[in-house]
Amino acid sequence: MNSIFLLIISIYAFFIGYKFIKPNFKKSLFTTFIIILITSTLLFFLVDIVTFKPRPNKAVSGNGNLGLIVLYFLIPIFLILLFILSKGIYQGFKRQPLSELKKHIMFGIVLLVMGTILQITYVSSTLNALSNHRYNPFEEGYRGSIINQYTNTLFFNGNIYGIFYCSSSYWNTFNS
């Protein structure tokens, strides 16, 4: 479900960028936005791919956490995406009346609520799968990092992508 929501948010991000960034800024900024959007989406998918799925009585250790390498590139790229998006939406909202923006705002709020519900459900099911697993960072006696090869997607997934995207893009709505 994370992947489907990530694709929906990415398509929505493209249309929001097309509506607000393209007409208000140079073509090079819109091109940069699209490249960063595609890159960040692919990196979120890659985090999901390199995160191990917990299986009862089986564990993988000694291989390191490949997700940390991906996160090293993902976090700055994602922050740049959010900055460009916020700047573009702020400029677009200043130029258009609120009555024209209601459908964008409502759809963003629906995606924000949907992403939050999906994230709560996902975290609950993942923690349930990790219960009594020796790499559960929330178990007493575990000495490793909270972000390990089993928990990368608890913190970096399509739901989080959507929540941050909708929050940052519509924060300007209420501040302008």
Side-chain angles (χ1 to χ4, degrees), residues 118-133:
L118 288 172
Q119 179 64 12
I120 291 168
T121 306
Y122 179 73
V123 167
S124 175
S125 67
T126 303
L127 290 179
N128 192 23
L130 275 172
S131 64
N132 298 323
H133 195 273

Side-chain angles (χ1 to χ4, degrees), residues 2 6 43-45 47-48 51 53 65 67-68 71 74-75 78 82 115 118-120 122-124 126-127 130 135-138 142 144-165:
N2 284 335
L6 178 60
L43 288 174
F44 267 97
F45 275 120
V47 167
D48 189 47
T51 300
K53 308 302 178 233
N65 185 359
L68 288 179
L71 293 175
L74 172 65
I75 291 172
F78 187 58
L82 294 178
L118 288 172
Q119 179 64 12
I120 291 168
Y122 179 73
V123 167
S124 175
T126 303
L127 290 179
L130 275 172
Y135 284 98
N136 184 355
F138 304 104
Y142 179 74
S145 170
I146 195 166
I147 297 178
N148 63 39
Q149 65 267 30
Y150 293 98
T151 61
N152 292 328
T153 56
L154 279 179
F155 308 103
F156 302 96
N157 58 49
N159 303 329
I160 294 293
Y161 182 84
I163 290 168
F164 273 93
Y165 181 85

Side-chain angles (χ1 to χ4, degrees), residues 72-92:
Y72 179 75
F73 296 103
L74 172 65
I75 291 172
I77 289 171
F78 187 58
L79 291 175
I80 292 169
L81 173 73
L82 294 178
F83 175 76
I84 293 171
L85 179 76
S86 292
K87 188 175 178 183
I89 287 180
Y90 180 73
Q91 294 296 324

